[in-house]
Amino acid sequence: MKMKKIKLFLAILVGLLFLSQNLKSQCQEYIEAIAEYELEPYVLDGNFLAPIIYEGDTVSLTRTFLAGNKYKISVVGMDMFVKYITITDADGFVVFQNFPNAEEETKYFTSQAGENIACFGNNFWEFTPTKSENLKVLVKIEIIATKQKNRIQGCLGIIVGYM
Amino acid sequence: MKKNLMSIAVIFLLLLSFFYCNNENNNYVQENEYQIDSLNQKRENIKMVFYTLPTPMEMAKIFKGTGIEYDKAILNPVTKLSRYNTNKDMAVNLGIYGADLSFASMFEKEQDIMDYFKVVKQLATKMDIIGAVSDSLMQVIEDNIANNEKLRKLVAETFFSSDAFLKENSREEIAAIVAAGAWIESLYISIELSNKQDNKNNTLLDRIIDQRLALENLTKLLETYKQNADVVEILKDIYDIKNIFNELIIIEKIEVYDENAGINRIKTNVTHNATPEKIKLLKDKIYNVRNTYTN
């Protein structure tokens, strides 16, 4: 009986490992497939950034933006969740927020398939830096699950295009 | 029974070590913002921190905008490819050739684009980066050699695919070394071209000094993989370059009111302090580092 339990535990562990690798490659395929379309007419910058995270997690990207280019920063993936985007300069001054008044804004609409899609508030920002600077993009995924164990894992892409 | 338990324990330990290694090599710094006890709660507050810098194509676009002209002679010759056989040499020169390809592409030099795409493909294959530059992609490039916009997109896609492949296969430190090579080469090309052309091109000088910002992110990116000996070697060069860049600027801190936060904050003002002597120091260092990597 004890042996059976140990074997079951090992089987689950192995399964989780493969699932995690599979999720990674699915994530890569997904981001690669949508990045160019998402950024059109901007040119994809070539940096791949697509961590696998849980709802409630926060991801930060610091990147150099050069004077003379126009940019689009787009946050994709985890479509069922609201993504709170805050972009600050190197001194911490906020230069962009997609939900400056988060509590007051409607966050969902229902798709034709009947799914709740969180898309109110822009998940992208287009700008032309007046000087070269390092900006920090902070993305926090909202929490829907009421219990920790029910939290959903997904793929979040932060993609940058320039022109 | 005992034997079975032993083998199960060994398998378990192996699996555990696999898990641990994968986590250790992730391309982010995990910071726990708060002290929390439960594992689940800890997961909630994990903060993943990433650093990226402009790719060579983006830098080439900026430098082209300052009026510089293309010169094939300053690129790393494709004939040197056979010299690069260690992991570090291959990774750093994949970045260097990638930057050369980006410059050739930005200046629409068809033959050079083909030559550098081929060398990038060979190097990527040698490094087991699968799918970044396939035979079919080479055909698409040949078919679109006169379509500049399409070519630039293909170069960007090549960078994106290589970066994705390395990061998704737990080779993030290699991706960081490639980025370092690309940044060094882009800076080398811009400095070399600025030497050959109008010395009073202030915009170009400004854009070169702006690279200190990308250097900050490159340093943080490389520091994430300090356990890798190749990264440590490159970091030594990067710190030297950073020290020289620090001499080129004057930092002034002023207190201003932040309307969003409703408080006073410190704002940093940076001005250039680039004398010809200091610029020469930077040039010499970049030449020296680049030559070490390519020869």
Side-chain angles (χ1 to χ4, degrees):
Chain A
M1 189 65 188
K2 208 172 182 180
M3 263 315 276
K4 268 188 180 173
K5 274 189 182 171
I6 295 171
K7 279 181 182 171
L8 181 69
F9 170 72
L10 280 176
I12 292 169
L13 196 64
V14 172
L16 281 174
L17 279 174
F18 282 113
L19 199 70
S20 136
Q21 277 306 108
N22 195 28
L23 192 61
K24 269 181 119 182
S25 60
Q26 277 180 7
C27 177
Q28 182 186 340
E29 281 170 24
Y30 167 69
I31 299 296
E32 283 190 304
I34 65 164
E36 197 183 329
Y37 167 77
E38 180 71 25
L39 292 172
E40 197 74 44
Y42 293 80
V43 178
L44 180 64
D45 79 338
N47 287 308
F48 179 80
L49 179 64
I52 292 164
I53 58 170
Y54 282 89
E55 55 183 283
D57 283 350
T58 302
V59 175
S60 131
L61 162 70
T62 304
R63 189 198 193 276
T64 309
F65 295 90
L66 302 171
N69 278 343
K70 285 182 182 174
Y71 289 97
K72 180 175 180 179
I73 302 171
S74 197
V75 180
V76 295
M78 299 201 81
D79 290 334
M80 67 292 267
F81 298 98
V82 175
K83 296 179 276 277
Y84 296 101
I85 307 167
T86 304
I87 302 177
T88 61
D89 68 11
D91 291 318
F93 285 81
V94 174
V95 294
F96 172 79
Q97 259 185 318
N98 65 337
F99 282 114
N101 304 302
E103 299 307 316
E104 298 156 22
E105 296 180 46
T106 310
K107 299 166 194 167
Y108 296 94
F109 84 106
T110 308
S111 73
Q112 284 184 335
E115 295 165 317
N116 267 345
I117 308 282
C119 77
F120 254 63
N122 286 337
N123 285 336
F124 65 87
W125 184 45
E126 291 173 278
F127 65 107
T128 307
T130 50
K131 56 171 186 172
S132 297
E133 60 184 332
N134 283 339
L135 296 179
K136 183 190 270 190
V137 183
L138 211 66
V139 183
K140 182 170 171 57
I141 307 298
E142 71 160 347
I143 304 174
I144 294 176
T146 49
K147 289 180 182 170
Q148 292 279 353
K149 64 176 181 182
N150 294 338
R151 288 193 181 179
I152 294 174
Q153 199 182 24
C155 171
L156 181 83
I158 305 178
I159 48 178
V160 177
Y162 67 92
M163 63 193 288
Chain B
M1 181 70 182
K2 236 181 184 176
K3 213 175 175 184
N4 269 341
L5 273 174
M6 276 296 285
S7 54
I8 286 169
V10 170
I11 293 169
F12 180 73
L13 282 173
L14 281 172
L15 284 170
L16 211 63
S17 68
F18 176 76
F19 242 138
Y20 177 74
C21 290
N22 259 356
N23 280 335
E24 199 179 47
N25 287 333
N26 273 341
N27 181 33
Y28 53 78
V29 184
Q30 295 190 348
E31 289 176 357
N32 296 321
E33 289 180 311
Y34 313 104
Q35 288 292 321
I36 0 175
D37 297 322
S38 119
L39 186 67
N40 278 338
Q41 273 182 315
K42 200 181 266 183
R43 184 193 289 152
E44 177 188 337
N45 291 303
I46 279 176
K47 191 174 160 191
M48 298 177 192
V49 182
F50 297 88
Y51 298 96
T52 59
L53 45 152
T55 45
M57 183 69 101
E58 199 180 326
M59 284 166 70
K61 180 180 175 292
I62 290 290
F63 291 130
K64 188 185 179 191
T66 65
I68 58 172
E69 284 170 23
Y70 182 80
D71 181 359
K72 185 186 176 176
I74 60 172
L75 306 183
N76 192 30
V78 292
T79 49
K80 284 188 177 176
L81 176 67
S82 59
R83 297 183 190 186
Y84 312 131
N85 296 304
T86 66
N87 285 338
K88 180 190 162 195
D89 284 350
M90 286 192 288
V92 84
N93 281 287
L94 180 62
I96 286 172
Y97 280 135
D100 293 341
L101 167 64
S102 299
F103 268 78
S105 176
M106 189 51 71
F107 287 87
E108 300 160 16
K109 303 294 173 188
E110 294 174 8
Q111 188 53 51
D112 294 346
I113 293 168
M114 282 311 294
D115 291 346
Y116 280 96
F117 247 122
K118 278 178 193 161
V119 88
V120 164
K121 179 182 189 298
Q122 287 175 47
L123 210 43
T125 308
K126 221 168 158 182
M127 293 168 68
D128 293 325
I129 302 173
I130 300 157
V133 196
S134 60
D135 289 334
S136 57
L137 178 64
M138 289 304 290
Q139 191 54 52
V140 176
I141 291 159
E142 274 184 43
D143 294 343
N144 289 280
I145 198 71
N147 182 345
N148 299 317
E149 198 181 330
K150 176 80 179 168
L151 273 180
R152 279 176 213 151
K153 280 188 176 176
L154 290 171
V155 174
E157 279 170 29
T158 304
F159 269 92
F160 193 68
S161 301
S162 316
D163 201 40
F165 181 88
L166 289 168
K167 286 172 181 171
E168 294 307 286
N169 287 279
S170 304
R171 292 165 71 189
E172 293 91 344
E173 69 284 0
I174 302 290
I177 296 174
V178 174
W183 182 80
I184 295 271
E185 181 71 352
S186 298
L187 191 56
Y188 169 81
I189 292 172
S190 57
I191 288 175
E192 185 73 350
L193 289 178
S194 76
N195 267 352
K196 294 188 173 193
Q197 291 159 30
D198 183 7
N199 281 332
K200 288 174 186 163
N201 188 340
N202 287 329
T203 316
L204 178 57
L205 184 63
D206 285 349
R207 297 292 87 88
I208 289 171
I209 297 172
D210 280 349
Q211 289 308 310
R212 72 188 168 79
L213 295 161
L215 182 61
E216 270 179 37
N217 291 336
L218 177 62
T219 309
K220 285 173 184 160
L221 173 67
L222 289 168
E223 283 174 344
T224 314
Y225 308 108
K226 264 182 169 174
Q227 74 280 11
N228 181 293
D230 292 337
V231 170
V232 171
E233 271 183 42
I234 290 172
L235 263 173
K236 282 181 199 158
D237 296 327
I238 294 296
Y239 289 142
D240 288 346
I241 297 170
K242 206 174 169 187
N243 286 338
I244 298 172
F245 263 109
N246 287 341
E247 293 293 316
L248 298 177
I249 54 165
I250 299 167
I251 296 173
E252 185 192 4
K253 303 268 184 188
I254 48 166
E255 195 172 302
V256 294
Y257 183 69
D258 180 353
E259 283 181 17
N260 283 319
I263 51 168
N264 281 342
R265 275 181 189 276
I266 300 297
K267 187 94 185 156
T268 310
N269 263 354
V270 178
T271 46
H272 297 170
N273 179 29
T275 60
E277 294 76 26
K278 287 176 183 174
I279 292 290
K280 189 180 178 311
L281 267 180
L282 177 69
K283 286 175 180 174
D284 290 347
K285 186 67 199 173
I286 294 291
Y287 285 10
N288 180 273
V289 170
R290 193 264 193 180
N291 288 337
T292 311
Y293 293 162
T294 54
N295 286 323

